[in-house]
Amino acid sequence: MGSTPCSGKGRGVGSFQELGCMPWKVSKQKGEAAGGGCVPESYEALNARVTPPPQQPPAIYHEKQHRELCALHALNNVFQDGAAFSREALQDIYQRLSPSTLVTPHKKSMLGNGNYDVNVIMAALQTRGYEAVWWDKRRDVSSIALANVTGFILNVPSNLRWGPLRLPLKRQHWIGVREVGGVYYNLDSKLRNPHPIGTADELRKFLRHQLRGKNCELLLVVPEEVEVHQTWRTDNA
């Protein structure tokens, strides 16, 4: 008692009926397909239901360690620009600074190999209209107005290496920290990749942890007008 097979008379070879398919017919009244079918979604409606692809992480400039040029790397990483400062520019600043202006006893290189002290960093920032605010470690970092700070440069003890070997000696090392795409990153030039710190609250925890260590100093990198009006402080009255 099965259905009667199609005879194929009056139909061309390869027609819809021979393939067991029915041609799509749309009702003129309600736009419904004849026989109870569904009208295909429009291109716009279909796109509206498509889940957008995940947002790509922001591009982060991360300058790696070369010789003893950590001050140069920290500056360029904070400015997210490999052309912001050069070794030649820092060496020129170093040579122009007289010994009477130097406030720290850090070793400086006469050959341009790096290991520049805070005086060179401060003078370099001034050439771009920025200032370095030396953070008083007796204050809590909760009073930093993060929105007015371009970035941070920390001076921390770091292990010396001889090739792949870590030596039982430490030397002061400059690292840069800044916000990129809403996330704060540790841009230490000795790291293989930028290390995400996280939100503003997590940044403050990171800074507190670093400042509790021995021989750690913090510089706030701010525009000149921020330094003049002291708006890097939330408690500025």
Side-chain angles (χ1 to χ4, degrees):
M1 301 298 293
S3 59
T4 304
C6 297
S7 63
K9 293 181 180 180
R11 299 178 178 86
V13 178
S15 67
F16 285 114
Q17 284 80 358
E18 287 182 343
L19 296 175
C21 301
M22 292 295 292
W24 191 268
K25 296 181 180 179
V26 180
S27 169
K28 295 182 180 180
Q29 294 181 351
K30 297 184 179 180
E32 295 179 351
C38 298
V39 178
E41 287 185 283
S42 67
Y43 176 77
E44 292 79 7
L46 185 61
N47 278 345
R49 294 197 302 107
V50 175
T51 303
Q55 188 175 4
Q56 294 296 321
I60 302 174
Y61 179 77
H62 181 221
E63 202 164 280
K64 303 294 185 62
Q65 184 73 17
H66 177 65
R67 296 184 179 177
E68 295 182 338
L69 295 170
C70 56
L72 172 64
H73 305 321
L75 285 165
N76 286 343
N77 286 338
V78 163
F79 280 88
Q80 286 292 282
D81 181 2
F85 301 94
S86 66
R87 181 179 66 177
E88 292 74 20
L90 296 192
Q91 185 66 13
D92 180 66
I93 291 172
Y94 160 70
Q95 291 175 344
R96 287 190 287 106
L97 289 174
S98 67
S100 61
T101 65
L102 301 177
V103 297
T104 61
H106 294 171
K107 174 186 173 184
K108 295 165 290 296
S109 173
M110 294 297 294
L111 301 177
N113 291 329
N115 202 19
Y116 298 110
D117 73 356
V118 68
N119 301 279
V120 175
I121 290 177
M122 295 172 72
L125 288 171
Q126 290 171 356
T127 66
R128 293 182 63 94
Y130 285 80
E131 295 287 345
V133 177
W134 204 319
W135 182 253
D136 184 349
K137 292 193 290 185
R138 295 171 298 180
R139 301 167 58 89
D140 186 71
V141 295
S142 61
S143 61
I144 300 176
L146 296 179
N148 296 333
V149 177
T150 301
F152 305 87
I153 295 179
L154 292 98
N155 188 250
V156 298
S158 178
N159 289 100
L160 289 178
R161 287 182 176 273
W162 183 266
L165 300 177
R166 177 178 293 183
L167 303 178
L169 300 171
K170 290 183 180 293
R171 174 176 287 181
Q172 293 301 113
H173 175 62
W174 297 106
I175 68 174
V177 173
R178 73 157 292 161
E179 176 266 332
V180 180
V183 177
Y184 286 92
Y185 288 88
N186 179 358
L187 301 172
D188 184 351
S189 56
K190 289 187 176 182
L191 293 175
R192 182 171 298 179
N193 297 296
H195 184 271
I197 296 171
T199 64
D201 287 341
E202 290 167 321
L203 170 69
R204 296 184 196 277
K205 292 178 183 178
F206 171 83
L207 295 177
R208 289 189 188 103
H209 175 75
Q210 295 295 326
L211 292 173
R212 281 197 295 266
K214 187 178 180 181
N215 298 326
C216 179
E217 301 293 340
L218 172 64
L219 301 176
L220 313 185
V221 179
V222 301
E224 285 179 348
E225 62 271 17
V226 170
E227 197 278 331
V228 169
H229 299 289
Q230 300 284 291
T231 51
W232 49 267
R233 299 169 47 181
T234 59
D235 57 355
N236 184 36

